[in-house]
Amino acid sequence: MASYDSVRRIWSGSRQPCIFNPECNFGQIVLNLLDRSSDKVIQIDADTGREMTRAEMRLRVVRAAQHLQKLGYGVGDIASVVAVNSENLAPLVLALQVIGVGFNALAPTFDAEEMAHMMRQTQSKLVFCDADNYDTVKVAASKALQGDYRIYVMEGAREATLAVDQLFQPTGTERMFYPRYLGDSYKLIANITCSSGTTGLPKGVCNSHAQTISCFCKVVNLSDEICLNFSTLYWGTGVYVLNMSVMNNTTRLITRRPFSVDLFYELIAKYPIKFLYTPASYALGITSDPRAKQSNLSSIKVWALGASNVSESIRDAVDELLKPSGGRSYNFYGTSESGFLAADFMRRKANAVGQVATNMQVRIVDEDGQPLQVGEIGELVIKSIGIPFLGYYKNEEASREALDKEGWFRTGDIGYFDEEGYLYLVDRKKDILKYMGNQVSPSEVEAVIQQMAGVQLVCVTGVPNTTGTSDLVTAVIVKDSSYQLTAEEVMQHVAKNLSDPKHLRGGVFFVEQLPMTSNGKVVRRKVRDIILDKLS
């Protein structure tokens, strides 16, 4: 249960010492756990039907670790991973961590300049990609990387390229391999996550071995569960579900294909998926499809929702589908820097994210950094008990600016707590619009518009007025073609339900689709650019 210190004005999750020792390196724990339940299937490849046991996973991890060590890679080196979820991706990234090589996963759909932006920061010695993005990766690497580097192709490598299969060839000494201690786990980089790129180019968030281990402070044996998450390792949720398969004994279902509603119904018809993670936009597509009420979804017990604000209507639709078989939706909130921060495990509460997660602390502060009380809206600042923020990779200035004078991390998210310790998110600090001196939350306006029949997706942004002194609130909508929704109806609905500064003075625009990240999150800055182009 979460608690509140009214004197220091701190909301805290329950305190739970980690079952696994965060002093160890993550690779030591991984190889130890894979030795247990060796015949248990840890991974199912939905595209090929191939299954991998924990014993086979361990063998591949050891072989890759041995080959990479022989090539001279180890602590201090970074690998760029620009690949979809193929069969050997999990053993590869686990092997990297066993030998102390941190990995920076990039979206496989990035263009060359987006890849190069992160590669310039990491100066990776190793690059892993897919056959279909090899040419783009090669261009990015040539632009960004200054020293020697190797590029490996995960599957379908051409003759002139390095095939990752080379790293999984027998060594003859697998049984003698023992992972050595690599140094302070609180400072050793396990992976570098890209900070959210929805408002600008990303920074590299350093996640330590200790932080990775502490995510699993409780041991939950989920041995009969199949978990599905469409995210690539570019997303923190993709890394978390991979690690969960090792730490909590789950079976991870993978596919190289990007999410589609058809793909979801193909997989749920074939596999008894119990844990499902999707962003809200995916959930909307699944629940609004006619197959939702015809398909057997009874295996799903936990449908985790995250990556963006989740409307009550989407949660209602999910819960209606899952209720007959005892499942329900769960709201998850976290940041690239902190990981998992809050969820509504105990019970769902309208519009709330949930309560503070185990071993996490949160304050709400005003613009001067002063802590606020229950019900007062301000910026969330956070701490992880016992696990320091490792900072942004080779960016000391950004690392310093991210923390206040007491070491609290500034999330940039705006929200408040109620009397029961439930957290409510209002918006991103950078996304707040200002009209005639009044602050306008795009999420609040979006929630009102989302209530209207015929609205599939909506993004609210701001366009400058003629003097550039105010943001004119503007709605961009993807509508259901079966409804005759007009801009005037939307403007009247907002005017009826919200105060004057929140009215749609910038207008209403209907589009076929909204620009999204590969994980289904609307890229607000690109929506704004689209409207500005239309207006110009």
Coordinates of all heavy atoms in Angstrom, one line a residue, residues 273-304:
I273 N -2.8 -16.4 -24.5 CA -2.1 -15.3 -23.9 C -2.7 -14.9 -22.6 O -3.9 -14.6 -22.6 CB -2.0 -14.2 -25.0 CG1 -1.3 -14.6 -26.2 CG2 -1.4 -12.9 -24.4 CD1 -1.6 -13.7 -27.4
K274 N -1.9 -14.8 -21.6 CA -2.5 -14.4 -20.3 C -2.1 -13.0 -19.9 O -2.8 -12.3 -19.2 CB -2.0 -15.3 -19.2 CG -2.7 -16.7 -19.3 CD -2.5 -17.5 -18.0 CE -3.3 -18.8 -18.0 NZ -3.2 -19.6 -16.8
F275 N -0.9 -12.5 -20.3 CA -0.4 -11.2 -20.0 C -0.3 -10.5 -21.4 O 0.5 -10.9 -22.2 CB 0.9 -11.2 -19.3 CG 1.4 -9.8 -19.0 CD1 1.2 -9.2 -17.8 CD2 2.2 -9.2 -19.9 CE1 1.7 -7.9 -17.5 CE2 2.7 -7.9 -19.7 CZ 2.5 -7.3 -18.5
L276 N -1.0 -9.4 -21.5 CA -0.9 -8.6 -22.8 C -0.6 -7.2 -22.4 O -1.2 -6.6 -21.6 CB -2.3 -8.7 -23.5 CG -2.5 -7.8 -24.8 CD1 -1.5 -8.3 -25.9 CD2 -3.9 -7.8 -25.2
Y277 N 0.4 -6.6 -23.1 CA 0.7 -5.2 -23.0 C 0.4 -4.5 -24.3 O 0.9 -4.9 -25.4 CB 2.1 -4.9 -22.6 CG 2.5 -3.4 -22.6 CD1 2.1 -2.6 -21.6 CD2 3.0 -2.9 -23.8 CE1 2.4 -1.2 -21.7 CE2 3.2 -1.5 -23.9 CZ 2.9 -0.7 -22.8 OH 3.1 0.7 -22.9
T278 N -0.4 -3.4 -24.3 CA -0.6 -2.6 -25.5 C -0.7 -1.1 -25.1 O -1.1 -0.8 -24.0 CB -1.8 -2.9 -26.2 OG1 -3.0 -2.5 -25.5 CG2 -1.9 -4.4 -26.6
P279 N -0.3 -0.2 -25.9 CA -0.7 1.2 -25.7 C -2.2 1.4 -26.0 O -2.8 0.5 -26.5 CB 0.2 2.0 -26.7 CG 0.5 1.0 -27.8 CD 0.6 -0.3 -27.1
A280 N -2.7 2.5 -25.6 CA -4.1 2.8 -25.7 C -4.6 2.7 -27.2 O -5.7 2.2 -27.4 CB -4.5 4.1 -25.1
S281 N -3.8 3.2 -28.1 CA -4.3 3.2 -29.5 C -4.4 1.7 -30.0 O -5.4 1.5 -30.8 CB -3.2 3.9 -30.4 OG -2.0 3.3 -30.3
Y282 N -3.6 0.8 -29.6 CA -3.8 -0.6 -30.0 C -5.0 -1.2 -29.4 O -5.8 -1.9 -30.1 CB -2.6 -1.5 -29.6 CG -1.3 -1.2 -30.2 CD1 -1.1 -0.1 -31.1 CD2 -0.2 -2.0 -30.0 CE1 0.1 0.2 -31.7 CE2 1.1 -1.7 -30.6 CZ 1.2 -0.6 -31.4 OH 2.4 -0.4 -32.0
A283 N -5.3 -0.9 -28.1 CA -6.4 -1.4 -27.4 C -7.7 -0.9 -28.1 O -8.7 -1.6 -28.2 CB -6.4 -1.0 -26.0
L284 N -7.7 0.4 -28.5 CA -8.9 0.9 -29.2 C -9.2 0.2 -30.5 O -10.3 -0.2 -30.8 CB -8.6 2.4 -29.6 CG -9.7 3.1 -30.4 CD1 -11.0 3.1 -29.6 CD2 -9.3 4.5 -30.8
G285 N -8.1 -0.1 -31.3 CA -8.3 -0.9 -32.5 C -8.8 -2.3 -32.2 O -9.7 -2.8 -33.0
I286 N -8.3 -2.9 -31.2 CA -8.7 -4.3 -30.9 C -10.2 -4.4 -30.4 O -11.0 -5.2 -30.9 CB -7.8 -4.9 -29.8 CG1 -6.4 -5.1 -30.4 CG2 -8.4 -6.2 -29.3 CD1 -5.3 -5.4 -29.3
T287 N -10.5 -3.5 -29.5 CA -11.9 -3.5 -28.9 C -13.0 -3.0 -29.8 O -14.1 -3.4 -29.7 CB -11.9 -2.7 -27.6 OG1 -11.5 -1.4 -27.8 CG2 -11.0 -3.3 -26.5
S288 N -12.6 -2.2 -30.8 CA -13.6 -1.6 -31.7 C -13.8 -2.5 -32.9 O -14.7 -2.3 -33.7 CB -13.3 -0.2 -32.1 OG -12.0 -0.2 -32.8
D289 N -13.0 -3.6 -33.0 CA -13.2 -4.5 -34.2 C -14.3 -5.4 -33.9 O -14.6 -5.9 -32.8 CB -11.9 -5.3 -34.3 CG -11.8 -6.1 -35.6 OD1 -12.4 -7.2 -35.6 OD2 -11.2 -5.6 -36.6
P290 N -15.1 -5.8 -35.0 CA -16.2 -6.7 -34.8 C -15.8 -8.0 -34.2 O -16.7 -8.7 -33.6 CB -16.8 -6.8 -36.2 CG -16.3 -5.6 -36.9 CD -15.0 -5.2 -36.3
R291 N -14.6 -8.5 -34.4 CA -14.1 -9.8 -33.9 C -14.0 -9.8 -32.4 O -13.9 -10.9 -31.8 CB -12.8 -10.1 -34.5 CG -12.9 -10.5 -36.0 CD -11.5 -10.6 -36.7 NE -11.0 -9.3 -36.9 CZ -9.8 -9.1 -37.6 NH1 -9.2 -10.1 -38.1 NH2 -9.4 -7.9 -37.7
A292 N -14.0 -8.6 -31.8 CA -13.8 -8.5 -30.3 C -14.9 -9.4 -29.5 O -14.5 -10.1 -28.6 CB -13.9 -7.1 -29.8
K293 N -16.1 -9.3 -30.0 CA -17.2 -10.1 -29.3 C -17.4 -11.5 -29.8 O -18.1 -12.3 -29.2 CB -18.5 -9.3 -29.4 CG -18.4 -7.9 -28.6 CD -19.7 -7.2 -28.7 CE -19.6 -5.9 -27.9 NZ -20.9 -5.1 -27.9
Q294 N -16.7 -11.8 -30.9 CA -16.8 -13.1 -31.5 C -15.6 -14.0 -31.1 O -15.7 -15.3 -31.1 CB -16.9 -13.0 -33.0 CG -18.0 -12.1 -33.5 CD -17.8 -11.7 -34.9 OE1 -16.9 -12.2 -35.6 NE2 -18.7 -10.9 -35.4
S295 N -14.5 -13.4 -30.7 CA -13.3 -14.2 -30.4 C -13.2 -14.6 -29.0 O -13.8 -14.0 -28.1 CB -12.1 -13.4 -30.8 OG -12.1 -13.0 -32.1
N296 N -12.5 -15.7 -28.7 CA -12.3 -16.2 -27.3 C -11.1 -15.5 -26.7 O -9.9 -15.8 -27.0 CB -12.0 -17.7 -27.4 CG -11.8 -18.3 -26.0 OD1 -12.0 -17.5 -25.0 ND2 -11.5 -19.5 -25.9
L297 N -11.3 -14.5 -25.8 CA -10.3 -13.8 -25.2 C -10.2 -14.2 -23.7 O -9.6 -13.5 -22.9 CB -10.6 -12.3 -25.3 CG -10.8 -11.7 -26.7 CD1 -11.0 -10.2 -26.6 CD2 -9.7 -12.0 -27.6
S298 N -10.7 -15.3 -23.4 CA -10.8 -15.7 -22.0 C -9.5 -16.0 -21.3 O -9.4 -16.0 -20.1 CB -11.7 -17.0 -21.8 OG -11.2 -18.1 -22.5
S299 N -8.4 -16.2 -22.1 CA -7.1 -16.5 -21.5 C -6.5 -15.2 -20.9 O -5.6 -15.3 -20.0 CB -6.2 -17.1 -22.5 OG -5.9 -16.2 -23.6
I300 N -6.9 -14.1 -21.4 CA -6.2 -12.8 -21.0 C -6.7 -12.4 -19.6 O -7.9 -12.2 -19.4 CB -6.6 -11.7 -22.0 CG1 -6.1 -12.0 -23.4 CG2 -5.9 -10.4 -21.5 CD1 -6.5 -11.0 -24.4
K301 N -5.8 -12.4 -18.6 CA -6.1 -12.0 -17.3 C -5.6 -10.7 -16.9 O -6.2 -10.0 -16.1 CB -5.6 -13.1 -16.3 CG -6.0 -14.5 -16.5 CD -7.5 -14.6 -16.5 CE -7.9 -16.1 -16.8 NZ -9.4 -16.2 -17.1
V302 N -4.5 -10.3 -17.6 CA -3.9 -9.0 -17.3 C -3.7 -8.3 -18.7 O -2.9 -8.8 -19.5 CB -2.6 -9.1 -16.6 CG1 -1.9 -7.7 -16.4 CG2 -2.7 -9.7 -15.2
W303 N -4.4 -7.2 -18.9 CA -4.2 -6.4 -20.1 C -3.6 -5.1 -19.6 O -4.3 -4.2 -19.1 CB -5.5 -6.2 -20.8 CG -5.4 -5.5 -22.2 CD1 -4.5 -4.6 -22.6 CD2 -6.3 -5.7 -23.3 NE1 -4.7 -4.3 -23.9 CE2 -5.8 -4.9 -24.4 CE3 -7.4 -6.5 -23.5 CZ2 -6.4 -4.9 -25.6 CZ3 -8.0 -6.5 -24.8 CH2 -7.5 -5.7 -25.8
A304 N -2.3 -4.9 -19.7 CA -1.6 -3.7 -19.2 C -1.7 -2.6 -20.3 O -1.4 -2.9 -21.5 CB -0.2 -4.1 -18.9

